[in-house]
Amino acid sequence: LNDDASFYSKSRITHHLDSRARKNLQEIHGRIVKPGMKVLDLMASWQSHLSGKKTDFKLTGIGMNIDELEANPLLSKKVIHNLNDSPLLPFESSTFDVVICTVSVEYLINPVAVLEEVQRILKPEGIVIITVSDRWFPGKEVLFWKDLHSFERQGYCIQLLHRVAGFTDIRSESVRGYPRPEDDKHFGTSVVSDPLFTTWAKKRETVQ
């Protein structure tokens, strides 16, 4: 991996998914994230892919670039933290109802340690939602990522959650085959919208 501090010193106010995929992701999140919930956007940027307004959620974003976090209209709290330097999350145990991680898990060099921390900071029966797609920053992903089939990437996320004690009811969903918006910069390359591969799990009421 390239040096994180150097890479993320430059703000990138750019969409990581096309508009159809972003709408689909908002719908997925909307099934789980309800108004009033305390939510952590893990590896956050300038969008959190949630429907609603800032006052609907108690949304914290933890990321690497302050300009991107400041541009996010939904965040109530912003935290700068490099999870590849330290997977420890600066939050009390049993704090959040939901943790979302969108098109970012492929940049983690120690994802199990990070997800162990996610399990710790979730409330009992809280939910973690991990979504990946077929787009990422080339050169920042873990070495094997680009060689995996899309469904293998989702299988990797499922495997990660199985490796963390305390998660249960692991489920997955793929959303594919929608037409790519004609105004998307990748329209000439593919007429199919960015696919979504989402995996989620619940924290056990009592962790063994």
Side-chain angles (χ1 to χ4, degrees), residues 116-135:
E116 286 173 343
E117 279 290 284
V118 167
Q119 188 274 138
R120 178 185 66 80
I121 66 170
L122 278 170
K123 298 176 182 178
E125 298 197 325
I127 295 176
V128 58
I129 309 170
I130 304 171
T131 299
V132 298
S133 187
D134 289 346
R135 285 164 65 173

Side-chain angles (χ1 to χ4, degrees), residues 10 19 68 75 111 154 161 194-195:
K10 176 183 177 182
S19 59
E68 293 178 12
L75 295 180
Q154 186 170 46
L161 291 170
D194 296 321

Side-chain angles (χ1 to χ4, degrees), residues 91-188:
F91 307 107
E92 297 292 328
S93 299
S94 302
T95 296
F96 294 96
D97 298 292
V98 180
V99 174
I100 59 176
C101 181
T102 301
V103 292
S104 295
V105 72
E106 59 267 30
Y107 306 128
L108 290 174
I109 60 176
N110 195 352
V112 172
V114 173
L115 287 172
E116 286 173 343
E117 279 290 284
V118 167
Q119 188 274 138
R120 178 185 66 80
I121 66 170
L122 278 170
K123 298 176 182 178
E125 298 197 325
I127 295 176
V128 58
I129 309 170
I130 304 171
T131 299
V132 298
S133 187
D134 289 346
R135 285 164 65 173
W136 57 85
F137 290 123
K140 285 305 298 173
E141 77 282 7
V142 289
L143 291 177
F144 61 84
W145 190 258
K146 63 181 181 298
D147 297 323
L148 298 179
H149 185 276
S150 297
F151 283 108
E152 290 178 310
R153 296 183 191 119
Q154 186 170 46
Y156 170 73
C157 296
I158 294 170
Q159 183 184 52
L160 291 177
L161 291 170
H162 274 293
R163 290 178 63 186
V164 178
F167 281 130
T168 187
D169 197 19
I170 299 171
R171 303 189 183 193
S172 64
E173 176 180 351
S174 64
V175 179
R176 301 167 294 136
Y178 282 83
R180 183 177 294 278
E182 293 185 16
D183 61 352
D184 184 75
K185 65 180 180 180
H186 296 287
F187 181 77

Side-chain angles (χ1 to χ4, degrees), residues 186-202:
H186 296 287
F187 181 77
T189 304
S190 172
V191 297
V192 180
S193 173
D194 296 321
L196 300 176
F197 301 91
T198 299
T199 306
W200 65 98
K202 182 184 296 184

